[in-house]
Amino acid sequence: MGRRTETTEYLKECIADALLRLMETQPVDKIKIQDITDLAGVGRMTYFRYFSSKGEVLSYKLHLLWSAWAQGHPYPHQGGPADQALWFFSFCASLQPLLALLHRQGQHQVLLEVFLREVVGAIDPTVPGFYPRMYAGYGILGVLMGWLQNGFRERPEDLARLVLLPTWEGEDKKRTGPEGPVPPGQGA
């Protein structure tokens, strides 16, 4: 990596870290760009050279963390879905404080965009398998959102098994009456 690239990456990371520190004490929509640049020790022009929104800053930080995780924990391409799901939820477990902060701040769209780009690779509708990838991606992201809401109580292994179930077996058995499935809100 050249010196200019290293400097650019350093400045971008300073901006991202400053935004995250500010988000710990105030709502993201109340944080001014000037607050971020002051804390990061950069000028406003530097901020706008690299980013057009706070969401972009957060996406950049998640991408950095994703890349660092992947270097130390190679993705199990040859493994099955169980290995791949465990890899993903282990990555998320390593980021519990950050993911909890983004969740509290309502930054679900950032999580969604980064997840779809990095994990599912499903941003481009011209990519073969776009719809099945989107379907699986949103399902797994839903489990991640539930895990966030539940305070990360389950282990990554538990969630990896959960996303591989073909149905919600326990729920299906409880919700089946003599006439078939029972709609939510009605007893079986």
Side-chain angles (χ1 to χ4, degrees):
M1 190 183 293
R3 185 172 174 200
R4 178 173 282 181
T5 303
E6 287 176 9
T7 301
T8 296
E9 294 306 309
Y10 174 76
L11 293 173
K12 289 166 71 173
E13 193 159 7
C14 286
I15 291 167
D17 291 341
L19 175 57
L20 290 170
R21 281 195 303 272
L22 291 166
M23 286 174 63
E24 290 173 3
T25 60
Q26 55 189 305
V28 69
D29 59 336
K30 301 290 185 202
I31 298 171
K32 297 179 180 77
I33 301 303
Q34 190 66 52
D35 298 336
I36 299 168
T37 58
D38 288 348
L39 187 56
V42 301
R44 287 175 57 86
M45 287 182 60
T46 301
Y47 176 93
F48 287 109
R49 180 179 306 129
Y50 302 121
F51 302 109
S52 62
S53 69
K54 291 177 249 180
E56 230 178 82
V57 174
L58 297 171
S59 291
Y60 170 78
K61 183 64 175 186
L62 283 172
H63 172 75
L64 274 183
L65 294 169
W66 180 268
S67 297
W69 173 265
Q71 285 180 348
H73 306 85
Y75 186 76
H77 289 285
Q78 303 307 315
D83 294 331
Q84 293 167 354
L86 178 58
W87 185 89
F88 170 72
F89 287 116
S90 295
F91 165 69
C92 292
S94 76
L95 297 180
Q96 283 184 21
L98 174 60
L99 294 179
L101 174 64
L102 294 175
H103 178 66
R104 280 192 313 274
Q105 289 276 356
Q107 296 300 304
H108 303 107
Q109 187 64 31
V110 170
L111 289 173
L112 173 65
E113 289 171 7
V114 171
F115 173 75
L116 290 176
R117 183 178 59 243
E118 301 289 344
V119 179
V120 181
I123 297 294
D124 182 358
T126 64
V127 171
F130 171 74
Y131 288 109
R133 286 176 175 212
M134 291 294 282
Y135 177 79
Y138 274 89
I140 292 171
L141 189 67
V143 171
L144 173 59
M145 291 299 145
W147 198 25
L148 285 163
Q149 289 174 348
N150 204 25
F152 294 98
R153 288 191 190 132
E154 298 82 8
R155 299 173 311 145
E157 295 83 358
D158 299 330
L159 295 172
R161 271 194 306 277
L162 176 71
V163 300
L164 296 175
L165 293 176
T167 64
W168 300 104
E169 292 168 350
E171 286 297 310
D172 287 346
K173 288 177 185 167
K174 286 188 238 172
R175 301 190 95 30
T176 302
E179 303 297 319
V182 177
Q186 298 179 8

